[in-house]
Amino acid sequence: MKRYYGLLWICALCSCGIYTFSGSTLPSHLKTVDIPLFVNASLQANVAEEITDSLSKRVLATNLMRIVPTGGDATISGRVVTYANTPRFYGNAGLRQVTISEYEVDITVEVEFADNKKNVPLYKGSITGKGVYDFAKESEDIGRRKAESDIVDQVLQNSLQSW
């Protein structure tokens, strides 16, 4: 019986080395991508720069495409449309007193992932990233970074990894 379980364990370990998952089925003609600075139509400073920088780093980490400054086989472009920091959780501290313990940063961007070789958009849409933070322990910056990370995750999901 011990041999049987040992054999199963060895088979399970060996099979993990055989299986690979790239998470992408991008068209084979797309090898490079350029990611121009997102446009910032919100009133929040530096949000477009931070999203563009984070997206570039994550695309590099995926090893699916090589980033070039301009003229890539594909382009991921975007526009930050809105930025909001709103109360999310209210509490009652007493008569006529309301406390807010959680806030949520919402950032909406319009994104396009375009195939420059065939001159067609592969993905075009609006994405909203959300970042909840504890007002008593964290700053708005924490919520903002969470929202930006959420946006980058969704952009990758809808562009590079969905193909």
Side-chain angles (χ1 to χ4, degrees):
M1 190 65 155
K2 286 183 181 182
R3 277 188 174 166
Y4 178 72
Y5 287 122
L7 184 58
L8 283 176
W9 180 250
I10 290 171
C11 288
L13 287 176
C14 290
S15 67
C16 290
I18 296 169
Y19 177 76
T20 61
F21 177 71
S22 68
S24 174
T25 56
L26 279 170
S28 61
H29 64 277
L30 299 180
K31 306 287 186 210
T32 61
V33 62
D34 60 272
I35 305 172
L37 179 63
F38 279 31
V39 174
N40 190 0
S42 77
L43 298 177
Q44 187 67 32
N46 300 322
V47 69
E49 292 86 349
E50 291 170 1
I51 291 171
T52 305
D53 184 53
S54 182
L55 179 61
S56 296
K57 288 177 182 176
R58 292 279 297 280
V59 168
L60 273 173
T62 65
N63 287 325
L64 294 173
M65 299 178 83
R66 189 170 48 88
I67 295 181
V68 294
T70 58
D73 300 335
T75 299
I76 301 175
S77 58
R79 179 175 174 259
V80 179
V81 181
T82 61
Y83 180 99
N85 182 35
T86 55
R88 183 170 185 264
F89 185 76
Y90 299 88
N92 187 354
L95 186 62
R96 296 185 186 191
Q97 291 183 340
V98 175
T99 58
I100 302 169
S101 60
E102 284 184 355
Y103 277 80
E104 180 176 278
V105 173
D106 295 320
I107 304 171
T108 301
V109 296
E110 294 171 347
V111 178
E112 181 175 8
F113 178 53
D115 181 335
N116 296 331
K117 294 264 187 179
K118 294 187 177 182
N119 201 25
V120 295
L122 299 173
Y123 170 78
K124 188 173 186 176
S126 182
I127 294 172
T128 299
K130 297 184 179 295
V132 176
Y133 65 98
D134 182 336
F135 182 66
K137 300 175 189 170
E138 300 171 317
S139 68
E140 180 181 343
D141 194 49
I142 298 294
R144 176 177 167 160
R145 294 200 192 290
K146 288 178 182 179
E148 291 170 352
S149 180
D150 188 22
I151 287 170
V152 170
D153 289 344
Q154 290 182 62
V155 168
L156 290 175
Q157 181 71 31
N158 292 331
S159 56
L160 300 183
Q161 295 174 347
S162 66
W163 279 90

